[in-house]
Amino acid sequence: MSAARANGSIVHDPSGFALPSSQRAAIRWFVYVGFGAMGIAVIHGFAQALNYAGINILTWFPGLQSYYQGLTIHGVFNALVLTFAFTNGFLALTTARGLGRPLHGPLLQASLWTLILGVLLSGWAMFSGRASVLFTFYPPLQAHPAYYLGLALLVVSTWLLSINLFWSLSRWRRENPGQRIPLLAFISVATYAMWDLASLGIAVEVVGLLLPWSLGWLDGADPLLSRTLFWFSGHAIVYFWLLPAYVSWYAFVPRHAGGKIFSDPLTRVVFLLFLALSIPTGFHHQYADPGIPEAMKFTHAILTFGVFYPSLITAFSVIAALEMGGRARGGRGLTGWFFKLPWGDPSLSAQVLAMLVFVLGGITGLINASFNVNQVVHNTAWIPGHFHMTVGTAVALSFMGIAYWLVPWLSSRELRGRRIAVAQSWIYFVGVLVFARGMISGGLEGMPRRTFMVAATYSKPSWELAGVLTAVGGTIMFLSVILFVGVMLATILAGRRRDPGDIPFADTLVGPAVSGWERHFDRFGIWVAVTILLIVIAYAPFLVSYLPPKLWSSGFSIY
Ligand code: HAS
Ligand code: CU
């Protein structure tokens, strides 16, 4: 395919889609910053996994003052920087490609630079030991103002990106009156619509309470109110991490497999359900918190089981798409299609393995959500067991799988080390299963999370094997990420130059309806109104009875 120049843009594919090279560069840097943060974060992750086996390598890290400093860097760089940066880049691209038009260039640059500034500020605070407050930064633990400001900027960067997507969508609507929003753009924009509403909790918490408190303008912070605002955003954030992976599982993995997206309308329903149900569930992180009426907690428990449903539909749809691909490649019988999938493609292997791990991640999530069973697992190592199979694999391994086609596309290079890339996905898969087996079984035996086990004066014999499995699994995961970073660097620096062509997204088996009630799916305003109503039902009774803030804690820090 030849690359033709048109109005300063490079036209890469027969559809005529043109992304200006400055926008492609911005997207590329989002992806690089995200994976750069991950590369730093996993070094600390390695140290924390060894901690569970009683091995202390923290002294290897120059200037590291405590276990909690490393854990904060690990959490923030993985869960906030990798996810936000990668998603900003990836969904900017999918929206532009879906709509077949470029984005707003200056806004895209502004979003990238805001993110970079946020990383620098929060990174400085964490690395200098002024923000060892973990990624949940619960008061009364107090961090340096630069930490809160940095995190606020990370969120602002997602808002700028979001404004950009809505701006592009409204331009597209004007140019294409009466048409259905293309599916790829629809699911990308829906993800940001959800996050825009969800992030309001953390924005109020950080800008309204914690930042002024850390600057000394407020005498204290209210731990319960802060935690409530944090988890308002904090459960929904897990779907802001997950949905870009779902965008890929729905729209790209079928193409890698040689199948099709199972159904356009069903895919839209899934994303709309996530929009409506992701937010009013935050109390399932606060079952153990005093001061919140049991009835409110129970309401959130029920809604949590509601938001499980779109993941069930996803499992069904994605398996159907994979089966279509496997059968087209000659797979027979009940399971034969699975083995006929193109396992030599690292994008496919990484993402299908990520899905398999997510089955366990999802089941452990349902156990967490079960109102009273939560008491068995809350604050134990079980919880990191759960979230390394969700954000740590379903999301992170999927992002790596996406990177195996995206980074070559963005850098106009061929992927180097394809076989190493495939091996990397399997190594990660094995590593996380061993790691999570350790954490999950240890958690059931009461092994705590967020604890410097090396210095703990208590332990149980049953934690020993759990700790060793955690350390061995964590080491394997770490080695796998080193391979990933190696493949990426080799591709960027030494991959053979090539014309990237189009991005590999799939056709649908059942397309969108062009008339009838289904068209209302595309009216985001209606669904945002439904979401706001659910949020009011889920949060207003508590806030009305609780406000104004009652518990004033002056705060302390460990630096
Ligand atoms: Fe969670 C705690 C409940 C999903 C992340 N979660 C956490 C924390 C994190 C996290 C980071 O109710 C810790 C926060 C902290 O620091 O304190 N979680 C759930 C539930 C779900 C869930 C009900 N979590 C996630 C996702 C995350 C994530 C996704 C990140 C991306 N979680 C909780 C609760 C807590 C919690 C409580 C608080 C615990 C406590 O006490 O502190 C559900 O959304 C899960 C639904 C998903 C499924 C899986 C569907 C499977 C699919 C794959 C299909 C497979 C295929 C394979 C196609 C049911 C879609 C094909 C091949 C074949 C041959 C089969
Ligand atoms: Cu949650």
Side-chain angles (χ1 to χ4, degrees):
M1 206 178 305
S2 72
R5 293 222 161 238
N7 303 329
S9 312
I10 303 173
V11 179
H12 288 293
D13 66 86
S15 71
F17 169 59
L19 195 62
S21 48
S22 61
Q23 297 196 12
R24 215 156 68 105
I27 291 173
R28 194 162 63 229
W29 279 104
F30 271 126
V31 172
Y32 292 174
V33 170
F35 285 126
M38 182 180 84
I40 295 168
V42 295
I43 303 173
H44 287 281
F46 174 47
Q48 277 126 37
L50 293 186
N51 157 62
Y52 274 94
I55 303 167
N56 183 9
I57 60 162
L58 297 188
T59 46
W60 297 4
F61 293 79
L64 195 75
Q65 293 160 24
S66 75
Y67 166 80
Y68 295 100
Q69 188 185 357
L71 191 55
T72 308
I73 295 169
H74 178 70
V76 170
F77 271 24
N78 271 331
L80 303 179
V81 178
L82 163 66
T83 52
F84 286 10
F86 183 88
T87 301
N88 276 355
F90 180 49
L91 295 194
L93 175 63
T94 52
T95 305
R97 180 62 189 92
L99 297 176
R101 66 184 322 287
L103 301 160
H104 190 287
L107 258 181
L108 192 63
Q109 300 293 337
S111 170
L112 175 65
W113 287 106
T114 308
L115 181 110
I116 290 173
L117 191 59
V119 175
L120 291 176
L121 278 174
S122 59
W124 172 79
M126 290 186 294
F127 280 98
S128 65
R130 291 175 170 83
S132 301
V133 294
L134 308 183
F135 91 104
T136 44
F137 48 88
Y138 294 143
L141 275 178
Q142 194 180 51
H144 189 279
Y147 177 76
Y148 301 117
L149 192 59
L151 296 190
L153 289 176
L154 293 182
V155 174
V156 170
S157 132
T158 63
W159 288 350
L160 291 174
L161 202 283
S162 176
I163 292 169
N164 203 339
L165 302 193
F166 279 104
W167 176 86
S168 304
L169 180 62
S170 75
R171 294 294 283 255
W172 177 89
R173 275 189 155 135
R174 227 180 300 152
E175 292 156 8
N176 300 274
Q179 292 207 26
R180 297 296 307 272
I181 303 173
L183 183 65
L184 191 56
F186 179 91
I187 57 182
S188 310
V189 173
T191 301
Y192 272 87
M194 184 280 287
W195 173 240
D196 290 340
L197 290 171
S199 53
L200 294 177
I202 224 168
V204 172
E205 182 201 7
V206 168
V207 179
L209 300 173
L210 302 187
L211 187 57
W213 172 59
S214 70
L215 286 165
W217 301 345
L218 285 180
D219 291 340
D222 181 325
L224 182 57
L225 182 62
S226 302
R227 287 163 71 94
T228 303
L229 290 169
F230 181 87
W231 288 117
F232 177 99
S233 304
H235 181 71
I237 207 175
V238 311
Y239 298 122
F240 185 53
W241 301 336
L242 180 70
L243 292 186
Y246 273 15
V247 167
S248 174
W249 294 3
Y250 272 103
F252 293 86
V253 172
R255 171 76 173 266
H256 305 316
K260 287 185 172 179
I261 302 171
F262 175 68
S263 156
D264 174 297
L266 197 60
T267 310
R268 287 180 207 250
V269 168
V270 163
F271 280 77
L272 291 177
L273 284 174
F274 275 115
L275 168 61
L277 293 172
S278 291
I279 304 168
T281 53
F283 284 155
H284 70 221
H285 292 264
Q286 296 179 272
Y287 289 152
D289 282 15
I292 301 166
E294 294 294 289
M296 293 313 306
K297 292 179 182 171
F298 194 68
T299 310
H300 285 225
I302 302 286
L303 287 165
T304 303
F305 281 89
V307 75
F308 154 64
Y309 181 64
S311 282
L312 269 189
I313 306 178
T314 302
F316 169 80
S317 301
V318 176
I319 292 173
L322 290 175
E323 182 177 347
M324 244 182 281
R327 291 204 186 280
R329 297 169 63 86
R332 302 267 170 274
L334 194 61
T335 54
W337 57 268
F338 187 73
F339 300 99
K340 285 282 185 187
L341 291 173
W343 289 100
D345 174 353
S347 289
L348 179 118
S349 66
Q351 294 184 77
V352 174
L353 294 175
M355 291 171 197
L356 288 174
V357 173
F358 190 49
V359 174
L360 297 174
I363 293 170
T364 48
L366 292 174
I367 292 168
N368 298 344
S370 306
F371 206 48
N372 39 9
V373 182
N374 178 268
Q375 296 188 4
V376 178
V377 295
H378 185 62
N379 272 344
T380 71
W382 164 289
I383 303 296
H386 160 68
F387 70 67
H388 282 84
M389 294 191 288
T390 53
V391 65
T393 303
V395 175
L397 186 54
S398 290
F399 285 4
M400 291 187 249
I402 296 166
Y404 286 135
W405 67 259
L406 179 62
V407 169
W409 190 87
L410 289 169
S411 57
S412 302
R413 306 260 185 186
E414 264 171 28
L415 182 69
R416 294 281 313 248
R418 177 171 297 269
R419 287 164 72 170
I420 300 175
V422 173
Q424 181 271 326
S425 64
W426 282 96
I427 294 170
Y428 198 92
F429 176 69
V430 171
V432 74
L433 288 180
V434 175
F435 173 88
R437 165 65 172 76
M439 287 249 152
I440 292 277
S441 63
L444 288 176
E445 293 286 344
M447 187 163 84
R449 68 182 287 201
R450 296 180 153 173
T451 302
F452 187 38
M453 298 305 287
V454 171
T457 51
Y458 50 87
S459 95
K460 272 165 81 174
S462 55
W463 295 356
E464 242 165 62
L465 176 62
V468 169
L469 290 174
T470 302
V472 170
T475 306
I476 299 173
M477 289 160 81
F478 175 61
L479 293 176
S480 164
V481 176
I482 291 183
L483 290 180
F484 169 75
V485 173
V487 169
M488 285 294 106
L489 288 177
T491 301
I492 297 163
L493 301 175
R496 218 176 310 143
R497 290 215 163 264
R498 56 142 214 205
D499 182 337
D502 197 3
I503 62 172
F505 69 102
D507 287 334
T508 42
L509 187 65
V510 179
V514 283
S515 60
W517 63 271
E518 251 189 44
R519 299 174 61 79
H520 295 307
F521 285 168
D522 290 9
R523 296 176 61 191
F524 280 112
I526 301 178
W527 305 107
V528 167
V530 171
T531 308
I532 292 173
L533 182 69
L534 279 174
I535 293 172
V536 170
I537 293 171
Y539 275 102
F542 169 72
L543 290 176
V544 167
S545 65
Y546 188 75
L547 288 173
K550 291 182 183 53
L551 305 165
W552 288 104
S553 167
S554 57
F556 68 90
S557 53
I558 58 170
Y559 62 86

